[in-house]
Amino acid sequence: MASALAQTRKAFYGIAALSAVTNILMLTGPLFMMQVYDRVLTSRSVPTLVALTLLALGIYAFLAVLEMMRSKILLQIGRRIDEELSDPTFNSVLTLPLNMAKGDAVSQPLRDLDQIRTFMSGSGPIAICDLPWMPLYILILYIFHPYFGYAAIAGAAFLMALTFCSEFLLRDPTRKLSQLVSARWELVEAGKRNAEPLHAMGMRTAYANRFDEVNRRYVEGQTTTSDLTASFSAVSKIFRMALQSAILALGAWLVIQQLASPGAIIASSILTSKALSPIEMVIGQWRSFINARQSRRRLEDVLERFGEARSPMPLPAPKRSLSVAGLAVMPPGSNKPIIHDVSLSLFAGQGLGIIGPSGSGKSTLSRALVGIWPAARGSIRLDGAALNQWDPEALGPSIGYLPQGVDLFDGSIAENISRFSPDANPGMIIEAAKLAGVHDLILSMPNGYDTAIGNHGAILSSGQRQRIGLARALYGKPFLVVLDEPNANLDSEGEVALTRAITAIRAAGSIIIVVAHRPNALQALDHVLVMNGGAMVAFGPRDEVLRKTTRPTSTPASAPTEAPALPDAETTGEPEAPKSGKRIAI
């Protein structure tokens, strides 16, 4: 943030210089009025009036050019700040969900950046640059007569007191309103993502009631802050108008007492208005100033936590091994590990199946293996290098990941498979699609690989999204492929394609890890890891581990055999067959 603001420092110096010139030229109005009253009307000289008018018009034209320049420079300052901060801010937004605790608003940093840019491009900085010139106007008023100067000082003191009151009264409501804005938009986004279940299960009314409660508090907060801001602005505006009238009355009295010229009456009224207008403008912009200040603090904190870090030294792409030693993983915002003491080693061409009951830590382990959640203890290494020694962008092409909930992006099928790479190889896209067994399906669509699938892959079924997600994971034949329940939404044809893909990726020298509940996903794998209660129950060759940790259920000859069962959560030491009352199907 400091660096981005430093980039615009010279431009702000230019704004200050322009403000100095414009504030001096603003004296044109009162001085013109004085000359008209004191010279033209007394001398009845038309040439003098024409000359003064032309001079004033020329100055006003020049002043208009300076005002336009000042506004354009401020717009460029806002644009420059956005250019400097948009990339790290968006990267932080993408990183925040991986590290966010409950209550964090994912989109808040972008809104904070918008708030800062809007303030820096608006009239707030102009008011701040005009404030230092207020003593000049008061000094000129004092030269006209000390009473004019005293009246202007009293008016400025009153308006400054209003400013401090607005700071005190608006700070907390503005902070709460910002939090309510985030909560409101998070509810809207969640409703958009879950529109189908909300409609199908009759949840729209209940969800709308929840939104109405948050929206009601938001509207109340906005009403409170807007009411305070409007009240302060109205008081300052009416006070300034009343003060102008008071200055006119004071000037008239001074003229009657022959202590000032008639022209000083009008000139003093205009100068008083101009002297106090920056304070009035600051009061009107105070809410925006508080918002921008709070946004800066929040954005600085986010960029400090999740901004661009130092890029590690480039390492060659991994090709040999994956090793996990004493791994413990905690979810963001928690201090209790979900999995602990997991150790394993795999080499190029090997495949691992991770099995276990729901909640045993399988998905958490898969997230840790691809670097989504960091290790709280222990290490994950590729070719001997820990994951934090890799730049995620550099390691990304060597990683293939298919999460449980496959979410595709708005764009074409080819763009999604190629991970939106700007220089994607069409041959590699087709190869990945064939590997995932989805090539013919894609060709059957209206525009083939160029078919636009909409947000979240809206035009695709869950099975189609999963198979295209699998093709994305296999794009470029990455070294480490982690698939979290890849057959959850697949039909028999899709499962056959999945088995072929696993076999092919292993034959290419990659390591593949499959989280599975259904045992047919283990057919093409040679190792199995059994998880239970967040701990590693068993790890080794597939057949040996399954033989030790599972057993079939006694069933009639005509009935199909029940899926193998996992051990009890209390199992320790050498894995044993589970008790008959606690069998959990893979």
Side-chain angles (χ1 to χ4, degrees):
M1 178 67 72
S3 174
L5 293 177
Q7 296 288 332
T8 63
R9 187 173 299 157
K10 292 183 178 180
F12 272 114
Y13 291 157
I15 291 292
L18 287 175
S19 297
V21 177
T22 55
N23 277 276
I24 293 174
L25 294 182
M26 284 292 182
L27 296 172
T28 301
L31 294 178
F32 176 75
M33 296 298 297
M34 283 190 64
Q35 297 304 313
V36 169
Y37 274 88
D38 295 342
R39 293 180 181 274
V40 175
L41 294 182
T42 57
S43 67
R44 298 180 181 274
S45 173
V46 175
T48 302
L49 176 62
V50 172
L52 288 173
T53 303
L54 292 176
L55 178 61
L57 290 176
I59 293 175
Y60 281 132
F62 184 61
L63 183 60
V65 173
L66 294 182
E67 288 286 356
M68 287 190 292
M69 289 177 60
R70 190 162 61 165
S71 298
K72 290 180 180 297
I73 292 175
L74 283 172
L75 290 173
Q76 292 303 315
I77 288 175
R79 179 178 177 180
R80 182 63 180 271
I81 290 175
D82 186 83
E83 289 175 352
E84 292 291 325
L85 294 177
S86 60
D87 285 346
T89 300
F90 188 69
N91 289 333
S92 299
V93 168
L94 296 182
T95 306
L96 187 58
L98 310 181
N99 301 272
M100 64 185 294
K102 185 178 180 180
D104 287 342
V106 176
S107 58
Q108 184 63 47
L110 287 176
R111 288 200 292 271
D112 287 337
L113 179 58
D114 289 341
Q115 181 68 46
I116 294 171
R117 185 186 65 249
T118 300
F119 176 77
M120 301 302 283
S121 302
S123 57
I126 292 178
I128 295 173
C129 290
D130 287 345
L131 271 176
W133 293 93
M134 184 175 64
L136 173 64
Y137 297 109
I138 295 177
L139 177 62
I140 296 175
L141 286 169
Y142 188 87
I143 292 173
F144 288 166
H145 195 278
Y147 286 173
F148 288 134
Y150 296 150
I153 291 173
F158 178 79
L159 291 178
M160 285 183 178
L162 278 182
T163 303
F164 290 129
C165 286
S166 66
E167 160 71 13
F168 177 76
L169 295 176
L170 282 171
R171 183 187 305 166
D172 191 57
T174 301
R175 178 181 56 81
K176 292 180 179 178
L177 182 63
S178 177
Q179 295 173 347
L180 289 171
V181 168
S182 299
R184 185 170 175 264
W185 281 110
E186 292 300 319
L187 279 174
V188 171
E189 290 300 318
K192 288 168 58 179
R193 291 193 303 269
N194 296 278
E196 293 181 1
L198 289 175
H199 175 78
M201 295 186 287
M203 297 169 58
R204 287 195 298 184
T205 301
Y207 195 80
N209 291 337
R210 186 178 179 185
F211 174 80
D212 286 342
E213 174 62 23
V214 174
N215 189 61
R216 179 187 61 79
R217 289 188 282 129
Y218 162 74
V219 172
E220 288 177 354
Q222 187 183 47
T223 301
T224 299
T225 55
S226 298
D227 182 57
L228 286 172
T229 302
S231 298
F232 283 120
S233 296
V235 170
S236 64
K237 180 180 179 180
I238 298 302
F239 175 79
R240 188 162 64 89
M241 293 171 62
L243 184 61
Q244 282 185 271
S245 298
I247 291 292
L248 286 172
L250 177 61
W253 180 80
L254 290 173
V255 171
I256 293 173
Q257 300 297 322
Q258 296 184 352
L259 297 176
S261 65
I265 300 177
I266 304 299
S268 298
S269 177
I270 297 175
L271 280 173
T272 302
S273 175
K274 180 56 186 172
L276 302 183
S277 63
I279 302 179
E280 184 182 353
M281 189 181 298
V282 166
I283 294 175
Q285 293 291 319
W286 201 251
R287 179 179 167 187
S288 298
F289 172 71
I290 293 176
N291 284 332
R293 185 176 61 189
Q294 293 176 349
S295 294
R296 174 180 175 173
R297 290 173 181 171
R298 285 192 300 266
L299 190 56
E300 282 180 337
D301 180 62
V302 169
L303 293 178
E304 183 178 352
R305 290 191 299 164
F306 307 121
E308 294 181 346
R310 177 186 62 86
S311 297
M313 191 183 82
L315 296 175
K319 296 183 179 300
R320 299 192 309 274
S321 64
L322 165 70
S323 62
V324 179
L327 179 66
V329 180
M330 292 185 297
S334 173
N335 56 5
K336 182 180 180 181
I338 290 182
I339 63 172
H340 49 86
D341 297 328
V342 174
S343 299
L344 58 93
S345 293
L346 295 171
F347 298 93
Q350 292 185 329
L352 171 67
I354 303 177
I355 60 176
S358 297
S360 60
K362 302 185 300 297
S363 294
T364 298
L365 178 58
S366 69
R367 292 188 184 101
L369 291 176
V370 295
I372 296 175
W373 286 359
R377 187 176 63 252
S379 65
I380 303 172
R381 297 180 179 274
L382 290 172
D383 288 2
L387 290 184
N388 60 9
Q389 298 179 22
W390 302 81
D391 183 343
E393 290 296 313
L395 183 60
S398 298
I399 300 291
Y401 178 57
L402 180 69
Q404 272 189 11
V406 181
D407 201 354
L408 302 178
F409 301 97
D410 187 15
S412 68
I413 293 176
E415 288 174 326
N416 275 273
I417 293 177
S418 67
R419 311 181 184 186
F420 287 87
S421 173
D423 53 354
N425 187 327
M428 293 173 62
I429 296 175
I430 295 174
E431 182 181 13
K434 288 182 176 179
L435 202 57
V438 75
H439 175 68
D440 293 335
L441 171 65
I442 295 173
L443 293 182
S444 67
M445 294 185 177
N447 297 311
Y449 282 88
D450 294 324
T451 300
I453 60 176
N455 284 323
H456 312 293
I459 71 168
L460 304 174
S461 68
S462 56
Q464 290 172 335
R465 285 197 297 270
Q466 193 154 36
R467 292 175 72 175
I468 291 176
L470 176 61
R472 180 179 63 187
L474 301 180
Y475 175 77
K477 293 184 178 178
F479 173 69
L480 175 62
V481 180
V482 178
L483 311 177
D484 193 350
E485 297 190 27
N487 58 346
N489 298 306
L490 298 183
D491 53 17
S492 57
E493 179 183 351
E495 290 189 347
V496 171
L498 174 63
T499 301
R500 290 175 181 170
I502 294 174
T503 302
I505 204 72
R506 287 184 57 193
S510 299
I511 295 174
I512 186 162
I513 298 174
V514 179
V515 176
H517 275 298
R518 290 150 63 177
N520 52 354
L522 308 179
Q523 294 177 3
L525 305 171
D526 59 351
H527 285 72
V528 167
L529 169 65
V530 181
M531 298 287 296
N532 206 350
M536 184 176 72
V537 175
F539 168 70
R542 181 192 61 188
D543 296 337
E544 178 182 343
V545 171
L546 292 180
R547 185 174 62 253
K548 290 181 178 180
T549 58
T550 62
R551 64 181 175 84
T553 305
S554 299
T555 55
S558 59
T561 302
E562 184 178 340
L566 295 178
D568 290 321
E570 296 84 0
T571 301
T572 58
E574 183 68 20
E576 298 176 357
K579 299 175 184 178
S580 59
K582 293 187 177 182
R583 288 192 298 270
I584 305 175
I586 300 175

